[in-house]
Amino acid sequence: MLKKILKIVAVTLVVLILAAIAIPYFFKDKIIAKVKTELNKHLTAKVDFKDVDISLFRHFPRLAVGLDQLQVTGTGEFEGDTLLAVKQIDVALDLMSVIKGGKMDIYNVALINPRIYAVVHKNGAANWNITKPDTAQATPADTSKTTFALSLQQYKIEDALINYDDQQGNMQLIIDGLTHQGKGDFTQDKFTLSTSTKADGITFRYGPIPYLSSVKTKLDADIQIDNTTSTYTLKEGKAGLNNLEVALQGFFKLVNDSTYGMDLSFKAPSTNFKDILSLVPAIYKADFDKIKTSGNAAFGGYVKGNYSPAQMPAFGLDLHVKDGFFQYPDLPKPVKNIQIAMKVSNPDGVPDHTVVDMPTAHLEMDNTPLDLRLLVKTPVSDMYLDGAAKGKIDLSKITQFVKLGTGTTLNGLLDADISAKGNMSAIEKQQYDRFYAAGTLQLSNMLYKSQDYPDGVNVKNLFLQFNPKNVTVKELSGQYLGTNFDANGEVNNLLAYTFKNAPLDGKLNFKADQVNVNKFMGATTTPAANTAAAPAKVDSAAMMPFAVPANLNISLQTAVGKVLYDKAELNNVTGTLLLKDETLTMQQLKANALQGTMEINGSYSTKNSKTNPDVNIAYDVQNLDVQQTFNTFNTVQKLMPIGKFLSGKITSQLKMHGKLGKDMSPVLNTLTGDGNLLLIQGFLKQFAPVDQLANTLNVSQLKDISLRDIKNYFAFENGRVKVNPFKVAVNGVTMNIAGSHGFDQSLDYTLQLALPRSLMGAAGNSLVNNLVSQAQNKGIPVNLGDSVHLQVLMAGNIMKPSLKTDLKESANNLKNQATELVKNKIDTVKNVVRDSVKQIKNNAVNALKDELKNQLSGKKDSAHTGGKPLENVGKQAGESVKNTLNGLFGKKKPAADSTKQ
């Protein structure tokens, strides 16, 4: 009996286990279909996911459903922009609700590694408005038709990144490494949600002021949720910002789909200066727990009102530090006498009513003071600024006060004494008498090295002079990546760039001894002299194109002694470079290179893509060495593969646009352009297509040919170069060439040759003579002259060409050409004779009219008619037809008698 029971239990367990394994697969298609149906039913965005992972064990006894690699991208104005990317969404469902096929009850949700990019454009459009409009707003929603039912008990967000960029409100919030979880009975209208939140770093900027920078944050709070009013009340929240503890209280309310109401306040209970000091990222990250501090501090603020795309809540922030002091125990000197008083206020939520007032900011390093003050008002409409900075800092002594990152070196002397006061509109309107700015800033012998800049940045001297009109760059000299440079000029809107994020506008004269572009790209090249050495390996996956900085409108008048780019060396480079709108524009950039000269105009832009820059280039090169040009530029090898077998000088003009790859090389299938190429003088040798043509036609003169003054026009797109017809005369052979070749070196050309019979072998001449004899036997007197016209179709590729026309086929073509020639001559004879007869007829009629008129008037026969007009006309007709036929068949006509008509 016991054995039977154990057997039944064992069988039951096996069945249950098999069912647990099999059931998820039975319902996988149903769940996937419902998920996609729900997403497409409610969203206008593009939604995609890799797979659905279903398990009965992960959340037993509930059914676990995992949505893998979910991605939501925008449409319309936000086409291609990612709103949400999640590694996995893990959901626990009631198994019976899935089996029944009705509502699916959800008990908990987990988002693993989500990436959220929320953007509000300056026109107020938000990329998260992706839900389809409700067409049944007038009638109450029928909840019985909802596919999913919420029986949520807990949720979790793990390792999230949130980037909120409000371009309209000039505000940005970045939360990195966010982990958040909450527990509560979401089936109730009113309940308490217990939450725990941690973030590796929070950065918050509003306008020009960065309030938080990579602040490590934690928050534990119980939130009272009232779903009837969509209100979330925070009674006693405790937040940590680095080392600073902050008490939170207040409420947050959903007013409608786009408006949020709030009344929140925060305050730091502690008055310890060390807690405020922890908000400085560089100090907090380096042995912060060992720092000795003293001094008092106060920190607090509030946010009150509604937030919507058209409205901001009122807010305020107070920060005060008195007699602050800190010193690392293993560093010799302290930073002392720190005094800060700062207040940020906005009483009504209107962004233009924001006031930033910092009347005092003072500190001393080694008894050397540094003083700052700043007042900013009306930041949106017309920013008013009243600020000053004064102090001297020996950068080499910074390491005596503050710990820098591993491998970081800093030297130099900074001396600043600057002040400014007035409205930005005065500068914009060039009303310089209404804006005050004065002072100087000088940086001498600065050397900065770090892990990001292992070669170091050396500024020998930077001298800026401030005035109401602009900031004059009296001198800028230094060295970076082997480039010694000097510059001077002016910057016109440094304050607007600093405080209003306006593009930095200026003009500079820039000189350098050499610029190695390969170093700026992180690429290396193998020295040409050491051909036996193995090529240096470049991590192409880690390479990134040079990104043109945003927010610049800088014109550089350049003069560089040498520029190295890939294998090219350009000397005496001059021209204008314009950095604007993430685009580098080259204007009349001239250089000596490859034994010739070149001029480049065009642009390089990383605005649309940081990994695939756009290029738009027009160049004009004169007298470049063909071989050096071919070996230097990969693009030339694709556009002009014949260059490998050609020596001499070329002149060319070309216009081209397309994209570059990560290694800054052109993406060939994106290139489109046209141009021309003049070979001034050259020598073609061992070029397989021409050699094979010479062998096929048995004409040795086509091998190793000398060329001069050959010009052709070409265009390229979709990976093919199309060459317009051009003429080549070589050793008595005339060729008309046209067709195309691919970047893959495939050939598709047509050659029309005028080949002297004296250059052809016996077989070729025999075929031609036989063709002429056949025509003459049929009574067709054909004289082809001393040259034979051939047509050759060339295919295959440049290394293994194929000629589609051989001598036999050429003979057939000649026969067809001869037949067509005779036909054309006969048609010409017909037309000429017809026209001649018509003319003779008209002459006869006119002659009879004249003779009749003379007879009636009693006049004698005119000398030119001889009294026999019809006879004369007949003679004219005979002579005319005879002369016409003789002319058409190559016979010479006797010289005309000037006394006869």
Side-chain angles (χ1 to χ4, degrees):
M1 185 66 165
L2 181 59
K3 288 183 179 181
K4 289 183 179 181
I5 294 175
L6 291 174
K7 187 175 181 180
I8 293 171
V9 170
V11 171
T12 303
L13 287 174
V14 171
V15 171
L16 289 174
I17 292 173
L18 292 175
I21 296 173
I23 285 175
Y25 295 97
F26 293 155
F27 297 100
K28 182 174 181 177
D29 292 340
K30 181 187 290 187
I31 292 174
I32 291 176
K34 286 198 173 185
V35 170
K36 289 187 175 181
T37 299
E38 288 294 321
L39 291 174
N40 292 324
K41 184 189 298 182
H42 297 290
L43 302 179
T44 59
K46 297 179 181 178
V47 183
D48 190 21
F49 54 88
K50 185 177 182 181
D51 194 12
V52 173
D53 177 31
I54 303 175
S55 172
L56 196 58
F57 297 104
R58 195 161 65 243
H59 297 302
F60 186 82
R62 296 188 176 102
L63 182 66
V65 178
L67 200 62
D68 295 336
Q69 305 296 335
L70 174 68
Q71 189 166 12
V72 180
T73 55
T75 57
E77 184 175 342
F78 298 95
E79 178 73 29
D81 290 348
T82 299
L83 169 62
L84 174 67
V86 187
K87 183 177 182 180
Q88 185 181 58
I89 299 178
D90 188 22
V91 181
L93 301 170
D94 178 65
L95 178 60
M96 292 308 298
S97 69
V98 177
I99 295 174
K100 291 178 181 178
K103 295 180 181 179
M104 291 186 181
D105 293 328
I106 303 175
Y107 288 98
N108 67 279
V109 177
L111 275 68
I112 311 300
N113 197 215
R115 297 289 182 264
I116 302 171
Y117 303 93
V119 179
V120 180
H121 280 175
K122 291 184 177 180
N123 60 8
N127 70 335
W128 61 82
N129 290 331
I130 59 174
T131 56
K132 293 182 179 178
D134 188 358
T135 57
Q137 293 181 356
T139 59
D142 186 359
T143 57
S144 64
K145 295 181 180 180
T146 303
T147 305
F148 294 101
L150 199 64
S151 300
L152 196 61
Q153 301 296 321
Q154 61 181 8
Y155 66 92
K156 183 178 182 180
I157 301 173
E158 184 177 315
D159 190 22
L161 170 65
I162 300 175
N163 189 337
Y164 172 70
D165 185 7
D166 186 348
Q167 299 171 6
Q168 186 183 53
N170 197 12
M171 176 176 63
Q172 186 175 28
L173 172 67
I174 300 175
I175 305 176
D176 192 15
L178 172 66
T179 296
H180 170 80
Q181 59 185 2
K183 294 182 179 181
D185 189 356
F186 284 81
T187 62
Q188 303 297 316
D189 289 334
K190 297 181 180 181
F191 65 97
T192 299
L193 176 65
S194 298
T195 65
S196 176
T197 306
K198 292 182 180 180
D200 294 336
I202 293 182
T203 299
F204 175 68
R205 174 192 59 81
Y206 179 64
I209 308 299
Y211 293 94
L212 300 174
S213 178
S214 301
V215 175
K216 188 175 182 179
T217 306
K218 62 180 179 179
L219 172 63
D220 295 321
D222 289 340
I223 304 172
Q224 293 183 357
I225 296 179
D226 186 347
N227 284 323
T228 60
T229 60
S230 298
T231 302
Y232 310 92
T233 303
L234 189 66
K235 286 293 185 180
E236 296 180 356
K238 294 182 180 181
L241 306 175
N242 286 344
N243 206 58
L244 179 65
E245 296 288 339
V246 179
L248 300 171
Q249 63 179 10
F251 71 85
F252 181 88
K253 183 177 182 179
L254 300 179
V255 178
N256 54 48
D257 290 342
S258 60
T259 303
Y260 313 100
M262 61 194 75
D263 187 355
L264 299 169
S265 63
F266 53 91
K267 184 178 181 180
S270 171
T271 59
N272 191 336
F273 168 66
K274 185 174 184 178
D275 297 333
I276 295 293
L277 187 64
S278 72
L279 297 181
V280 181
I283 295 178
Y284 181 72
K285 293 179 180 179
D287 295 335
F288 181 77
D289 56 331
K290 300 178 182 178
I291 293 179
K292 298 178 182 179
T293 66
S294 65
N296 298 319
F299 177 77
Y302 71 93
V303 180
K304 185 177 182 178
N306 289 340
Y307 172 80
S308 70
Q311 186 180 8
M312 293 284 295
F315 61 90
L317 175 68
D318 289 306
L319 172 63
H320 292 273
V321 175
K322 185 178 181 181
D323 300 330
F325 167 99
F326 74 89
Q327 182 179 12
Y328 287 90
D330 51 348
L331 294 182
K333 296 181 180 181
V335 178
K336 61 183 180 180
N337 197 15
I338 302 173
Q339 315 289 339
I340 299 175
M342 185 175 74
K343 184 176 183 179
V344 181
S345 63
N346 183 296
D348 53 12
V350 178
D352 200 38
H353 294 170
T354 303
V355 176
V356 178
D357 188 9
M358 186 178 68
T360 301
H362 174 90
L363 61 83
E364 296 175 9
M365 293 186 291
D366 196 21
N367 297 319
T368 301
L370 175 63
D371 289 283
L372 303 170
R373 64 175 176 83
L374 177 66
L375 174 63
V376 176
K377 297 188 295 185
T378 58
V380 178
S381 60
D382 183 10
M383 179 182 287
Y384 174 83
L385 171 72
D386 184 1
K390 184 177 181 179
K392 295 182 179 180
I393 300 177
D394 187 344
L395 300 178
S396 65
K397 295 182 179 180
I398 290 291
T399 56
Q400 298 179 9
F401 305 94
V402 178
K403 289 189 174 182
L404 303 179
T406 303
T408 300
T409 300
L410 183 61
N411 291 304
L413 180 65
L414 175 65
D415 187 355
D417 186 0
I418 54 178
S419 58
K421 183 178 181 179
N423 291 90
M424 291 295 175
S425 61
I427 299 177
E428 295 169 356
K429 297 177 182 178
Q430 299 183 355
Q431 298 171 343
Y432 303 120
D433 58 327
R434 297 177 55 189
F435 190 91
Y436 173 81
T440 60
L441 184 150
Q442 186 166 8
L443 180 62
S444 305
N445 299 317
M446 189 209 80
L447 175 62
Y448 174 74
K449 288 186 178 182
S450 68
Q451 292 181 348
D452 293 331
Y453 297 91
D455 294 325
V457 179
N458 184 5
V459 177
K460 295 179 181 178
N461 194 22
L462 170 63
F463 185 72
L464 305 179
Q465 188 170 26
F466 293 77
N467 58 73
K469 182 179 180 180
N470 56 32
V471 178
T472 303
V473 184
K474 290 288 188 179
E475 182 181 356
L476 171 60
S477 61
Q479 190 269 345
Y480 179 60
L481 291 179
T483 298
N484 295 294
F485 60 87
D486 293 278
N488 60 68
E490 60 186 29
V491 178
N492 298 319
N493 64 337
L494 182 61
L495 296 176
Y497 171 76
T498 304
F499 293 100
K500 297 187 68 174
N501 204 33
L504 183 64
D505 178 80
K507 296 181 179 180
L508 296 173
N509 299 311
F510 178 84
K511 295 182 179 180
D513 57 349
Q514 67 173 19
V515 176
N516 190 336
V517 180
N518 302 311
K519 288 186 177 181
F520 282 86
M521 297 188 303
T524 57
T525 56
T526 304
N530 187 11
T531 55
K537 293 184 178 180
V538 178
D539 185 3
S540 58
M543 291 179 63
M544 287 293 290
F546 166 71
V548 182
N551 255 24
L552 292 181
N553 185 7
I554 301 293
S555 176
L556 295 175
Q557 190 66 39
T558 61
V560 182
K562 181 187 296 184
V563 174
L564 302 174
Y565 170 53
D566 196 13
K567 293 176 286 186
E569 179 178 314
L570 285 66
N571 295 294
N572 301 321
V573 181
T574 61
T576 301
L577 300 178
L578 178 62
L579 285 82
K580 182 179 180 180
D581 199 22
E582 299 184 66
T583 299
L584 173 63
T585 301
M586 294 162 282
Q587 299 175 345
Q588 293 184 325
L589 197 65
K590 299 179 180 180
N592 299 326
L594 307 171
Q595 301 183 27
T597 62
M598 62 173 57
E599 179 178 329
I600 302 174
N601 292 275
S603 63
Y604 165 91
S605 178
T606 51
K607 181 179 180 179
N608 297 323
S609 174
K610 301 297 183 291
T611 56
N612 292 106
D614 295 299
V615 288
N616 195 331
I617 300 294
Y619 74 66
D620 185 345
V621 300
Q622 303 286 329
N623 299 325
L624 265 60
D625 182 81
V626 177
Q627 280 294 300
Q628 290 187 26
T629 304
F630 180 86
N631 293 324
T632 299
F633 298 110
N634 293 333
T635 307
V636 175
Q637 296 173 14
K638 301 298 182 181
L639 292 176
M640 195 180 74
I642 194 176
K644 182 178 181 180
F645 311 94
L646 191 64
S647 61
K649 299 282 189 175
I650 58 170
T651 291
S652 178
Q653 292 81 39
L654 178 142
K655 294 181 179 179
M656 174 183 73
H657 63 86
K659 288 184 174 294
L660 302 183
K662 287 185 177 182
D663 59 352
M664 296 284 282
S665 296
V667 180
L668 296 176
N669 60 1
T670 69
L671 297 183
T672 301
D674 58 67
N676 63 72
L677 187 145
L678 169 63
L679 178 66
I680 300 172
Q681 186 173 1
F683 193 78
L684 184 64
K685 187 175 183 180
Q686 295 181 346
F687 185 48
V690 174
D691 285 353
Q692 185 165 334
L693 178 64
N695 293 333
T696 301
L697 300 179
N698 195 19
V699 178
S700 61
Q701 286 81 353
L702 291 179
K703 293 185 177 182
D704 300 344
I705 58 180
S706 177
L707 304 171
R708 185 179 180 86
D709 297 336
I710 296 174
K711 189 170 186 178
N712 67 2
Y713 295 85
F714 58 89
F716 52 93
E717 62 179 344
N718 299 324
R720 292 202 70 80
V721 181
K722 300 177 182 178
V723 179
N724 289 354
F726 67 98
K727 188 176 181 179
V728 178
V730 179
N731 297 331
V733 180
T734 301
M735 292 184 286
N736 286 301
I737 304 172
S740 69
H741 60 266
F743 291 160
D744 59 357
Q745 296 195 344
S746 59
L747 300 175
D748 184 8
Y749 277 93
T750 299
L751 285 71
Q752 294 179 344
L753 289 80
L755 185 63
R757 295 179 62 181
S758 60
L759 299 180
M760 298 180 64
N765 275 292
S766 176
L767 287 173
V768 173
N769 292 332
N770 183 46
L771 178 60
V772 173
S773 298
Q774 292 179 15
Q776 291 176 346
N777 291 336
K778 294 181 180 180
I780 305 174
V782 179
N783 182 9
L784 294 179
D786 295 329
S787 295
V788 179
H789 296 274
L790 306 177
Q791 180 167 286
V792 180
L793 303 179
M794 186 177 292
N797 69 48
I798 199 167
M799 300 307 296
K800 294 183 179 180
S802 63
L803 304 182
K804 296 184 179 180
T805 302
D806 57 23
L807 280 175
K808 181 178 180 181
E809 293 169 337
S810 298
N812 292 334
N813 289 335
L814 283 174
K815 181 178 180 180
N816 294 333
Q817 292 172 20
T819 304
E820 186 66 23
L821 176 64
V822 172
K823 180 179 181 299
N824 290 338
K825 287 183 178 290
I826 293 174
D827 290 341
T828 301
V829 170
K830 289 180 179 179
N831 293 333
V832 172
V833 170
R834 182 175 65 246
D835 293 340
S836 299
V837 171
K838 182 178 180 180
Q839 183 63 37
I840 292 167
K841 178 181 177 182
N842 293 333
N843 291 341
V845 172
N846 291 332
L848 288 172
K849 288 181 178 179
D850 292 340
E851 184 64 24
L852 180 61
K853 182 178 179 181
N854 291 334
Q855 292 293 335
L856 292 175
S857 61
K859 293 182 178 180
K860 299 294 183 180
D861 296 339
S862 60
H864 64 275
T865 60
K868 300 178 181 179
L870 292 178
E871 182 179 343
N872 291 338
V873 168
K875 291 180 179 179
Q876 292 175 15
E879 290 294 329
S880 177
V881 172
K882 180 180 179 182
N883 292 337
T884 298
L885 294 175
N886 289 337
L888 289 173
F889 286 100
K891 295 182 178 180
K892 293 185 178 181
K893 185 174 64 175
D897 187 351
S898 60
T899 62
K900 294 183 179 180
Q901 189 172 15

